[in-house]
Amino acid sequence: MSKADQGRREERRQRAIQRRRHRMKVGAAAALGGAVILGSAGAAASSDKDLRATAGIQLASLTLPIFNETDAAAEQPAEAAPSDSASPSATGDAPAGEAAVPAPEPAESTPDAAAVAAAEAAAAAAEQAAAQLAAEQAAAAAAEEAAAAEAARIAAASVPVDDPAGAKAYAATALGGHGWGASEMACLDTLWTKESEWLTSATNASSGAYGIPQALPGTKLATAGGDWQTNYKTQVNWGLTYIESRYGSPCSALNFHYANNWY
């Protein structure tokens, strides 16, 4: 029996004792009053024997039951005995004869749905940011490679390609575009060998003439192409156009050069 049940039982027993004592006091008062009445009646009785008989009858009728605490306890309602299958009380006391069963540990609390969703959103955002950063880094690396390749191309393009054999071969294929026969190639070869030896980078230190045809100034070659400083084809195209417009043919230009040492 738990301590709480024992306390309630004791409280009920004390209340029963108080009620018994109260009834006892009331009975004593009634008995006293009866004795007084009997005393008056005895004075009028015809004999002592009748008085004692009458008093005995009255006292017997007024006799109070003797108070017994055992009776008070008996008046209390019987308390139901705990069942063998009853679970341990709230205080944790186990039924008699049985081992105390430990209370089950509380289940682990499950994460809040909002917290889970927030964590998943944060993970997705972090993954997206990482992917974007990787893409930006890859794009930056590709841009750097492209810039390096372009710089290398420009650097290579800025270097004149001195290829006399290549320049001569190209000039031979370009004669027909100006209406000249293959015979003009011999005169052209002699003329530009005297001027520049077919070098794309040929520069006259005193006059500043530049390139295979020795254009003066060299910037005139730009009318044939932006790569006039490095590309022999651009220089050959400009020189053939110049000869056609000024002398009519390479051989006529060579004859002028023989007479004037320039053309």
Side-chain angles (χ1 to χ4, degrees):
M1 178 184 297
S2 65
K3 293 181 180 180
D5 293 339
Q6 292 176 356
R8 287 193 294 269
R9 184 171 182 178
E10 178 64 21
E11 183 179 356
R12 287 195 295 270
R13 191 178 72 82
Q14 292 296 330
R15 284 200 298 268
I17 292 173
Q18 291 177 1
R19 287 195 297 270
R20 298 283 294 181
R21 287 177 179 176
H22 178 71
R23 288 197 296 270
M24 183 175 180
K25 289 179 181 180
V26 173
L32 180 61
V36 172
I37 293 172
L38 289 174
S40 299
S46 58
S47 66
D48 293 337
K49 183 178 180 179
D50 294 337
L51 177 62
R52 287 192 298 270
T54 304
I57 294 171
Q58 294 294 332
L59 288 173
S61 63
L62 295 174
T63 301
L64 296 175
I66 298 174
F67 177 76
N68 191 338
E69 291 187 0
T70 305
D71 297 337
E75 290 183 359
Q76 299 181 19
E79 296 184 1
S83 172
D84 292 341
S85 60
S87 59
S89 65
T91 60
D93 297 334
E98 294 185 5
V101 179
E105 296 182 358
E108 295 182 358
S109 59
T110 57
D112 184 71
V116 173
E120 291 178 351
E127 184 177 356
Q128 182 178 3
Q132 182 177 359
L133 178 61
E136 291 176 354
Q137 291 176 344
E144 290 180 0
E145 292 179 359
E150 180 64 13
R153 186 192 66 78
I154 293 174
S158 64
V159 177
V161 179
D162 289 327
D163 184 7
K168 290 179 183 181
Y170 176 75
T173 62
L175 293 176
H178 296 272
W180 302 324
S183 59
E184 294 291 331
M185 184 60 201
C187 294
L188 182 65
D189 183 16
T190 301
L191 175 63
W192 282 352
T193 298
K194 294 172 82 57
E195 290 289 328
S196 63
E197 294 185 354
W198 292 83
L199 295 176
T200 305
S201 62
T203 302
N204 189 310
S206 58
S207 67
Y210 183 79
I212 294 172
Q214 286 294 282
L216 184 64
T219 54
K220 289 182 178 181
L221 296 170
T223 58
D227 55 351
W228 58 273
Q229 292 177 295
T230 58
N231 194 335
Y232 63 78
K233 292 181 180 181
T234 300
Q235 294 182 1
V236 167
N237 290 337
W238 183 89
L240 294 179
T241 300
Y242 171 77
I243 290 172
E244 181 182 3
S245 63
R246 188 176 181 90
Y247 302 103
S249 68
C251 289
S252 296
L254 179 60
N255 290 331
F256 184 87
H257 186 279
Y258 283 148
N260 301 281
N261 202 30
W262 61 273
Y263 78 109

